[in-house]
Amino acid sequence: MYKFLFDIDRCINCRACEVACKQQNDVEMGVRWRRVSEIEGGKYPNPSREFLSLACFHCARPPCITACPVKAIYKRADGIVINDESRCIGCGYCSWACPFGAPTLGSDGLMQKCIACYPRIDKGLDPACVHTCLTGALAFDTPAEIAKIQGERATEKVVISP
Amino acid sequence: MDVEANTLFNGTMMSRRAFTKLTALGTAAALGGISNVSAYPTKFVDELVEPASAIPVDVERTVYSVCEVCPFRCGIKVTCNGGVVKTIEGNPKEPHSNGKLCARGNSAEQVIYNPDRVKYPLIRTGERGAGGWKRASWGEALDYTAGKLKEIEAKYGPESIALIQFPNLMTPLLSRFQKALGTPNFFSSLGTCKISRVVADMKTLGAHIGNAIDYKNAKYIMLFGRNTFETPANCSVQALSAAITKGAKLVYLDPRFTVTASKADEWIPIKPGTDLAFVLAMMNVIIREGLYDEEFLTKYTYGFEELKGFIGGYTPEWAEGVTGVPSEQIERIAVEFATTKPAVAHPNWHPKGYESETQISRGILILNALVGNINKPGGIFYLRGVKLGDIKPPAYPEITAKRVDGIPDKYPLVPASHGLWQLLPDAIINEDPYPVKGLIVYRSNPLHGMPNRHRVIEAFKKLDLLVAIDILPSDTAWYADVILPECTYLERYEPPMVIAGKSPKVALRQPCVEPMYESKHSFWIFKELAQRMGIGNYFDFELDDYINARLSPLGIDKDYFKDHEIWSSGISPELKGLAGMKIKTPTGKIEIYSKTLEANGFDPLPTFEPPKEAPGGMFRLLHGHIAVHTHANPATFDNAYLNEICSENELWINTDTAGVLGITNGEYVWVENELSKGKIKAKVTEQIRPDAVFMLHGFGHTSPDLKLAYGKGLNDGDFIKAGADPIGGVCPMDETFVRIYREG
Ligand code: SF4
Ligand code: SF4
């Protein structure tokens, strides 16, 4: 079982993860499997900026799988959630069901989403986004390892891992 | 047609997948197709040039090479198959990347497979800048270029040919061409970048140390406008992040709340142009409280006694009036800086704001010296390099003509190897001190990178010949008489790169795939031009010979990099202070009091000069960078992946200021001053001082052939006057004031 960890405290909005995802998975223009967004707050001279790098969370109980009428989405034994494009009918239910809107329609009318770079995982590598993250804000590992990282970083502000 | 081809035929991009599929379909037809659909004039249409077979195409290969999407040049690990670049990652053994690439490096495929690439030589047909081109063969283009250059040389002398380049691994070879030609007018873009910092380092420390800061071991880090997290300096980004994670305190001064500010413990929105006042007041406190490193100062520095006498008037109370920062805060930070060990202050990298930039950088260097944290863990340090070999050129002709930018008479301390490019347009327009009629621009985009674009165009119009050697039809290329298409960094060898640092290393740029279209290696271009100019004897070798000559002192040749990711010196990375080190200043010490500055009639101590005040109703225009884009280089702006993330710049304007002007977030507003006028989207934000506005640099491209970047956003340079810091030469670009108003 694998899951993503994203550490908001470390993310610097550099977008390396986003572009690494696109080039390694050949994601078409206009679709982003991983996307970094910014949340601005505060008032001058005490403003704040936070950055969120989000992709599919490969949920433990994925609502997208429940929503899909043709069972195109499935979870691998290692926890990675994948959409089988050969079964997908492009109805968009998974995208509505997903709390994060992770599945996105491609220009072919079919759904696509983060596959946690499973071809890399199968070779014993980490996902492209994690591999390139300049600050260690992203990790992809077993819940036990993720819990360990969270423990080590307990002094830092916020650590997100749904 | 399949999906990938659809994206291709929309003309938006040519993905690698599309390229692979199309090669399978028959590349000749496909490439013809691209030219048509991407709305190039028909002259741009090309037939396929069959790749030579030097690089194996049908097997998966991994190539260790060097990135060039930005000039930081990280080590890369590229996989290719079927003659196509597949994936790109950092080279884990190369210290610029440590195996991790930024967004720019990751976008490589959009550089090589960018449909906007210049595909074959072009010669201008209509008016300059009107966009009329005819396709030329290489022979025709080179004959034309060399013929024109010879005409100019015969009529006005070789000095009337100037060369501009962005500093890169081919620089020594272009410089060889320049010296063989016999012109003194060789320029880099440093005049609008870090030239004053280079001079400050040389005259204070005896060497330029660049970004050599041992962040990882520092416990207290001060950055004066050094927005590390949004710079190209990949390894500095990683190291600063690691330092923060380890608990270092970060104090960041900048009128704007950058990404780096958002990660700092303390953000100080200092009044623009007053950093030196802050630094001098810190020194005042440190000296008054006796918190300096006396032993270090006595042993390794010159002029501490003079500094003591000089610093008395620069009290925190004085600085409060100048900087707007409360004196108690300056006082506290000074004490924290001097008592937290190790503490370090970045001497800034891109000091291009004010006429006193050399002194500002010197001030920060001296601050580091006061706490003795030089060449020690957690401090700034001297870079260790590697000496490479060369192919000795025949004797160069003597150059008697003076440089047109006033080096050295007017700017005695600015290195002529870089020059002051921002002064070139005026020299061309005024023919002062003599006419410059030919300009060769290599891997640079002066029309966009130099200040005051309108003036640059005026200068270009006075030229008899403008040559652009580039991979993309840049704004400069658009105005050129001839465009010579270079192949990209993924398609070529280049001279080895020395990675200076604590433990120096050497990496080699190696081709991953064959050059596409008719693009050629710049070495071949220089050589062919040299032969036609009668200076072929200076290029009497092949690039391979040159690379091997460079590498020979290391006892290796270029094939070493076929099965080695990197060459390592094996030198211990330990920082052991300054004992036994030769400091290359006149006194052999770190010069707090600069003998060289004094001898040249400049202030030997860093006296504070107040910045210009904004005239009534105007705002100071600041500019800077974002992590996904670099400089004026179309390789990031006209790049499908990076353009998708940030395609347009905005004018940052403080909420209260916007309220007074009646400006709402997201509306297009006018920016105007005596040089230019343009519209830009307003970003009404809490993240900037009320008296300054800001826009990202590098937008507002004017070449219609940059399909993605053309016309998006506004060029900050349009509003900036050319000028120079009298000591270090940098253009004072933050002394720019604009009016902001709504439509009508
Ligand atoms: S697509 Fe959405 S719902 Fe499905 S696993 Fe990913 S994050 Fe969860
Ligand atoms: S690579 Fe890491 S630091 Fe950069 S945007 Fe992505 S998550 Fe944030």
Side-chain angles (χ1 to χ4, degrees):
Chain A
M1 270 303 170
Y2 291 119
K3 59 197 274 191
F4 271 115
L5 171 138
F6 171 68
D7 183 341
I8 197 171
D9 212 21
R10 291 197 182 193
C11 180
I12 54 163
N13 196 32
C14 73
R15 310 295 188 107
C17 50
E18 237 184 87
V19 182
C21 172
K22 292 205 76 147
Q23 60 111 349
Q24 296 244 357
N25 296 301
D26 255 329
V27 181
E28 66 178 281
M29 298 314 301
V31 176
R32 287 188 242 184
W33 292 359
R34 177 168 287 283
R35 185 188 281 263
V36 184
S37 46
E38 176 171 354
I39 305 159
E40 295 181 21
K43 182 112 189 85
Y44 178 88
N46 296 302
S48 69
R49 295 174 79 176
E50 304 281 5
F51 311 103
L52 281 175
S53 172
L54 297 182
C56 166
F57 280 109
H58 302 275
C59 303
R61 281 185 291 173
C64 56
I65 292 185
T66 321
C68 179
V70 294
K71 299 204 174 348
I73 308 181
Y74 62 98
K75 199 169 176 61
R76 300 203 330 170
D78 60 7
I80 299 176
V81 177
I82 294 175
N83 178 31
D84 178 352
E85 282 193 25
S86 70
R87 304 182 72 142
C88 178
I89 54 170
C91 67
Y93 281 14
C94 55
S95 184
W96 302 339
C98 171
F100 314 102
T104 313
L105 280 179
S107 60
D108 58 358
L110 301 180
M111 204 51 91
Q112 40 175 289
K113 60 179 276 304
C114 159
I115 56 169
C117 295
Y118 71 80
R120 289 177 57 100
I121 300 287
D122 293 346
K123 283 193 214 158
L125 304 168
D126 45 8
C129 56
V130 173
H131 188 77
T132 210
C133 177
L134 301 185
T135 64
L138 288 170
F140 188 73
D141 220 318
T142 60
E145 281 301 313
I146 296 280
K148 215 171 104 193
I149 300 172
Q150 282 175 308
E152 283 163 6
R153 296 187 191 176
T155 48
E156 295 181 46
K157 274 192 294 191
V158 193
V159 175
I160 296 178
S161 175
Chain B
M1 195 48 78
D2 59 30
V3 178
E4 291 78 20
N6 272 335
T7 41
L8 168 65
F9 284 102
N10 289 336
T12 49
M13 67 169 281
M14 180 184 193
S15 79
R16 176 188 57 236
R17 193 152 48 158
F19 181 71
T20 323
K21 292 225 168 143
L22 287 164
T23 28
L25 289 174
T27 325
L31 293 181
I34 291 163
S35 305
N36 289 329
V37 292
S38 62
Y40 269 112
T42 44
K43 313 133 209 162
F44 283 70
V45 178
D46 189 14
E47 81 272 9
L48 172 77
V49 179
E50 268 306 325
S53 56
I55 301 174
V57 290
D58 48 353
V59 283
E60 180 160 316
R61 296 182 314 129
T62 300
V63 182
Y64 288 90
S65 186
V66 178
C67 185
E68 183 85 39
V69 188
C70 91
F72 200 64
R73 301 191 184 95
C74 288
I76 51 176
K77 178 185 165 191
V78 186
T79 51
C80 344
N81 202 344
V84 176
V85 173
K86 291 283 180 185
T87 60
I88 188 151
E89 284 174 27
N91 172 355
K93 296 213 172 144
E94 189 282 327
H96 283 168
S97 77
N98 300 307
K100 296 161 183 288
L101 292 184
C102 72
R104 301 177 305 276
N106 269 297
S107 75
E109 97 178 49
Q110 300 299 347
V111 176
I112 179 167
Y113 301 123
N114 185 344
D116 290 350
R117 274 181 68 173
V118 185
K119 300 179 181 67
Y120 30 71
L122 294 166
I123 296 177
R124 176 169 66 82
T125 51
E127 281 292 298
R128 237 188 213 130
W133 301 100
K134 89 176 162 94
R135 179 182 174 174
S137 70
W138 270 105
E140 194 184 350
L142 291 164
D143 287 347
Y144 173 83
T145 306
K148 281 275 194 182
L149 287 172
K150 277 197 284 193
E151 264 174 42
I152 294 167
E153 191 186 13
K155 200 160 161 201
Y156 304 99
E159 63 273 19
S160 66
I161 299 167
L163 298 93
I164 291 179
Q165 48 97 39
F166 192 96
N168 66 77
L169 298 172
M170 289 295 292
T171 297
L173 288 163
L174 184 66
S175 173
R176 192 180 186 103
F177 182 84
Q178 162 238 335
K179 288 178 184 143
L181 209 56
T183 172
N185 294 310
F186 188 77
F187 298 88
S188 80
S189 45
L190 258 59
T192 49
C193 183
K194 61 162 185 166
I195 194 79
S196 286
R197 166 71 201 291
V198 173
V199 172
D201 280 13
M202 303 289 293
K203 303 310 163 200
T204 312
L205 304 174
H208 178 43
I209 61 157
N211 273 313
I213 295 196
D214 187 23
Y215 286 121
K216 266 191 194 150
N217 293 306
K219 293 218 167 66
Y220 197 93
I221 299 166
M222 291 193 74
L223 302 174
F224 292 86
R226 172 63 179 167
N227 180 13
T228 303
F229 286 141
E230 293 180 271
T231 63
N234 184 347
C235 57
S236 298
V237 171
Q238 298 180 32
L240 181 62
S241 175
I244 295 172
T245 303
K246 272 173 69 181
K249 177 163 182 180
L250 176 61
V251 176
Y252 180 78
L253 294 91
D254 196 318
R256 185 172 70 101
F257 194 70
T258 61
V259 170
T260 311
S262 77
K263 298 292 170 195
D265 296 273
E266 218 167 324
W267 171 52
I268 302 172
I270 189 166
K271 183 173 173 196
T274 66
D275 294 13
L276 183 58
F278 191 102
V279 171
L280 292 170
M282 281 180 70
M283 291 193 211
N284 177 294
V285 175
I286 292 169
I287 290 173
R288 188 190 71 205
E289 298 298 320
L291 297 174
Y292 48 85
D293 185 336
E294 186 147 22
E295 195 196 330
F296 179 89
L297 290 164
T298 319
K299 253 185 165 158
Y300 300 117
T301 68
Y302 174 82
F304 181 52
E305 285 311 312
E306 286 83 347
L307 180 73
K308 274 184 177 166
F310 160 86
I311 209 76
Y314 292 123
T315 62
E317 293 70 30
W318 165 81
E320 173 171 336
V322 175
T323 62
V325 185
S327 60
E328 308 78 52
Q329 195 177 2
I330 302 175
E331 189 116 6
R332 172 177 54 76
I333 289 171
V335 173
E336 284 174 4
F337 183 80
T339 55
T340 314
K341 307 255 173 221
V344 70
H346 194 298
N348 217 343
W349 176 262
H350 194 205
K352 37 69 194 151
Y354 306 91
E355 270 191 13
S356 51
E357 285 294 354
T358 312
Q359 297 290 25
I360 299 173
S361 286
R362 267 179 45 71
I364 306 173
L365 292 168
I366 295 167
L367 181 66
N368 283 294
L370 276 192
V371 297
N373 196 20
I374 297 181
N375 234 34
K376 291 182 194 155
I380 57 177
F381 60 91
Y382 286 86
L383 292 163
R384 298 174 183 135
V386 175
K387 208 158 165 35
L388 296 183
D390 200 353
I391 293 181
K392 208 173 166 305
Y396 289 121
E398 197 197 340
I399 300 175
T400 48
K402 291 195 154 122
R403 292 182 58 94
V404 295
D405 56 6
I407 298 172
D409 294 354
K410 195 160 172 222
Y411 301 100
L413 302 184
V414 181
S417 51
H418 292 289
L420 298 174
W421 77 332
Q422 73 271 25
L423 304 181
L424 181 61
D426 272 359
I428 295 173
I429 292 166
N430 302 325
E431 304 198 346
D432 177 20
Y434 50 78
V436 170
K437 290 292 178 187
L439 181 59
I440 299 173
V441 179
Y442 174 53
R443 277 191 213 170
S444 176
N445 188 10
L447 182 58
H448 198 274
M450 279 183 185
N452 199 349
R453 183 164 49 91
H454 309 292
R455 191 93 177 132
V456 180
I457 292 174
E458 213 182 312
F460 281 1
K461 289 193 167 152
K462 285 205 72 172
L463 294 170
D464 289 347
L465 181 71
L466 174 58
V467 186
I469 305 172
D470 211 330
I471 58 169
L472 283 170
S474 74
D475 313 82
T476 302
W478 183 255
Y479 268 86
D481 301 300
V482 53
I483 312 178
L484 305 176
E486 189 187 19
C487 56
T488 70
Y489 69 102
L490 295 164
E491 302 162 311
R492 64 187 181 227
Y493 272 110
E494 274 190 58
M497 172 175 76
V498 174
I499 304 150
K502 291 186 207 162
S503 178
K505 297 186 163 57
V506 173
L508 187 67
R509 177 168 293 147
Q510 312 190 73
C512 306
V513 293
E514 289 291 342
M516 288 173 70
Y517 317 113
E518 288 186 21
S519 64
K520 290 278 190 192
H521 199 295
S522 51
F523 176 78
W524 182 86
I525 300 174
F526 300 164
K527 187 175 161 129
E528 290 290 319
L529 281 177
Q531 274 162 5
R532 284 168 171 78
M533 298 289 297
I535 48 174
N537 54 327
Y538 293 89
F539 287 86
D540 194 14
F541 51 88
E542 294 305 323
L543 182 63
D544 285 3
D545 305 327
Y546 184 72
I547 294 172
N548 289 336
R550 296 288 276 162
L551 292 171
S552 66
L554 313 180
I556 58 172
D557 66 10
K558 77 187 228 299
D559 289 342
Y560 178 88
F561 295 92
K562 288 213 164 97
D563 46 14
H564 293 83
E565 299 96 318
I566 196 122
W567 178 87
S568 294
S569 64
I571 290 172
S572 157
E574 212 183 324
L575 296 174
K576 293 190 203 143
L578 291 174
M581 264 190 59
K582 198 171 148 34
I583 295 171
K584 294 178 189 147
T585 57
T587 57
K589 296 191 169 197
I590 292 171
E591 293 197 355
I592 293 173
Y593 185 99
S594 169
K595 289 292 226 184
T596 316
L597 261 60
E598 184 180 44
N600 286 280
F602 301 119
D603 199 334
L605 287 163
T607 302
F608 174 71
E609 295 288 343
K612 293 194 182 89
E613 291 295 331
M618 294 183 97
F619 297 90
R620 189 181 296 277
L621 174 66
L622 303 173
H623 67 277
H625 296 269
I626 188 172
V628 297
H629 289 301
T630 333
H631 306 108
N633 179 358
T636 68
F637 295 92
D638 200 62
N639 174 310
Y641 285 160
L642 303 177
N643 190 278
E644 185 178 59
I645 292 171
C646 180
S647 61
E648 181 181 352
N649 59 352
E650 298 171 322
L651 187 78
W652 294 40
I653 177 164
N654 179 281
T655 313
D656 290 342
T657 310
V660 172
L661 298 175
I663 289 169
T664 49
N665 189 39
E667 74 172 309
Y668 281 80
V669 294
W670 287 101
V671 178
E672 185 180 353
N673 71 1
E674 66 281 12
L675 301 182
S676 197
K677 180 180 169 176
K679 269 184 141 184
I680 183 171
K681 198 195 246 183
K683 174 189 165 92
V684 175
T685 177
E686 301 292 341
Q687 301 171 4
I688 190 164
R689 282 173 65 94
D691 58 357
V693 293
F694 167 87
M695 65 175 83
L696 283 171
H697 174 67
F699 288 88
H701 284 275
T702 51
S703 166
D705 276 346
L706 297 170
K707 299 282 185 319
L708 294 175
Y710 174 63
K712 302 230 180 93
L714 198 57
N715 178 7
D716 53 297
D718 288 359
F719 302 90
I720 299 173
K721 266 198 266 329
D725 161 7
I727 309 175
V730 88
C731 184
M733 300 198 281
D734 292 348
E735 299 279 35
T736 300
F737 304 101
V738 292
R739 265 181 298 281
I740 312 290
Y741 53 91
R742 303 185 69 190
E743 191 78 66

